[in-house]
Amino acid sequence: MRRTDPLIVGGGPAGSAAAIALALGGASPLLIERHAEPRDTVCGGFLGWDALAALQRLGMDPWALGAQPIRSVRIIAGHRVIERPLPALAAGLSRHTLDRALLERTAALGVEIRRGVAVRRIEGDMLHLADSQTLIAEAIFLATGKHALRGSPREDVPRETRLGLRSTLPDCPDLAGWIELHLIDGGYVGLLRQEDGRINLSLSIAADRLSRAGGTPDALMTMLADEAPRLAERVGGAADWTAVAAVPYGWRARTTAPGLFRLGDQAAVIASVVGDGIAIALASGRAAAGAWLQGGAAAAPAFQRGFAARAHRPIAIAELARTAAERPRIAAAVLAILQIPGMVGAVARLTRIGP
Ligand SMILES: Cc1cc2nc3c(=O)[nH]c(=O)nc-3n(C[C@H](O)[C@H](O)[C@H](O)COP(=O)(O)OP(=O)(O)OC[C@H]3O[C@@H](n4cnc5c(N)ncnc54)[C@H](O)[C@@H]3O)c2cc1C
């Protein structure tokens, strides 16, 4: 049977936000998530003020989930350190907890969720599932994250991509209230305190640095400790790494077919060093739901163009910030510029998508 209400593929922040907004608007979407249980995806767990506002609009209270307040940023390049207040209150929360809570809210609104089954391929309005079922829908919301799904290739994906890694560390009390960014050759390491008191360590780096270090995250951390002494003091004991390859920073979906709404990292991939990917995922989910509620499946191309335009400024400025942060010689000069009062706040504000 052909579904008239949207079929959402992916139960991360983008898919859940769309499902919640659709349900609040009176629709009956079906959400398909390949994992049976929430897990910690590769993410820094930084929620900016726009993400916090977006969550509130969806009826979520991140503070009740144990989100840790973040008021200041510390940026470290070699022996240089700058410390600045953020322009508004932000938070640290693990993706495990956030994704679980979003899916619980989705289910509480009566949305049907099928977990533990992956979509293998899209063919027009048909979805082929790993359990051999086929579903047909007038509107498909593609919220599968960074990588293309068979049958829905993405155009103009940049050749130069990054590798993402994540782990946790025991608590460092002096990180309470801070997001700490260590700039390294080809990437950065982000540290913040999450709801269980542990430190979320996320890392984005050029893939060749991992292979040059010997191919394992532990070997990479040993190599980074040599070039970033302040980082070396922090990172002993990281284990249980999760990884994501080929992250296409700076990419946006400018077009789509009628009926196919691309959300989250399928719509726009912002450089993670500015910490706004979750906000983009939430904003795109809500915007796509609004577009479908008003214009049905035919609204997809206009939604996609509109969202690409909305994401242009934050993504362009984030690319400038990433390009500077990843090059040690430029990074030292950039840190000097960021010392100017108001500069850190300006960059932080200009890289937000808004709620
Ligand atoms: C190193 C790094 C650090 C980051 N740090 C931050 C940060 O601190 N703050 C921030 O805001 N952003 C950060 N980001 C970005 C952020 O993680 C993403 O932008 C965000 O997760 C995008 O959400 P999404 O819902 O689009 O995709 P995802 O979170 O990737 O969710 C996709 C969901 O779809 C499911 N799925 C995938 N394929 C299928 C399939 N075939 N069938 C069914 N289900 C499927 C997956 O299991 C998953 O649950 C970081 C990114 C990286 C790489």
Side-chain angles (χ1 to χ4, degrees), residues 9-15 32-35 41-47 95 99 117-120 143-146 149 164-165 188 202-204 244 247 249 263-266 272 275-279 281:
V9 190
I32 299 176
E33 164 55 47
R34 68 179 167 180
H35 293 304
T41 48
V42 177
C43 186
F46 178 82
L47 295 171
R95 286 293 301 279
D99 290 12
V117 58
V119 172
R120 286 277 178 251
T144 49
K146 288 161 189 69
L149 194 64
L165 290 167
Y188 79 97
S202 64
L203 162 64
S204 163
V244 60
V247 181
Y249 291 137
L263 316 182
D265 280 350
Q266 285 289 317
S272 56
D276 210 44
I278 298 170

Side-chain angles (χ1 to χ4, degrees), residues 237-257:
D240 296 331
W241 292 93
T242 43
V244 60
V247 181
Y249 291 137
W251 179 81
R252 286 176 295 147
R254 293 180 176 82
T255 57
T256 189

Side-chain angles (χ1 to χ4, degrees), residues 117-200:
V117 58
V119 172
R120 286 277 178 251
R121 187 160 48 95
I122 297 189
E123 231 178 335
D125 58 1
M126 263 192 293
L127 288 183
H128 299 280
L129 272 54
D131 62 5
S132 304
Q133 266 196 60
T134 297
L135 300 174
I136 305 176
E138 277 175 18
I140 295 171
F141 281 29
L142 197 59
T144 49
K146 288 161 189 69
H147 302 130
L149 194 64
R150 271 177 67 205
S152 71
R154 293 178 304 172
E155 288 168 6
D156 308 324
V157 176
R159 279 210 193 144
E160 195 204 19
T161 57
R162 290 289 175 264
L163 172 77
L165 290 167
R166 178 197 175 268
S167 181
T168 52
L169 303 169
D171 193 7
C172 301
D174 68 323
L175 277 174
W178 291 85
I179 168 87
E180 189 169 285
L181 299 173
H182 295 258
L183 309 186
I184 49 177
D185 187 7
Y188 79 97
V189 176
L191 300 170
L192 59 70
R193 200 166 191 233
Q194 60 181 36
E195 70 282 2
D196 58 3
R198 292 181 67 78
I199 303 304
N200 187 327

Side-chain angles (χ1 to χ4, degrees), residues 222-261:
T222 306
M223 191 169 92
L224 294 181
D226 284 344
E227 72 186 68
R230 293 285 297 260
L231 180 62
E233 293 164 17
R234 296 270 195 220
V235 297
D240 296 331
W241 292 93
T242 43
V244 60
V247 181
Y249 291 137
W251 179 81
R252 286 176 295 147
R254 293 180 176 82
T255 57
T256 189
L260 186 66
F261 295 76

Side-chain angles (χ1 to χ4, degrees), residues 2-19:
R2 191 178 161 88
R3 290 184 59 86
T4 48
D5 283 16
L7 211 157
I8 303 168
V9 190
S16 292

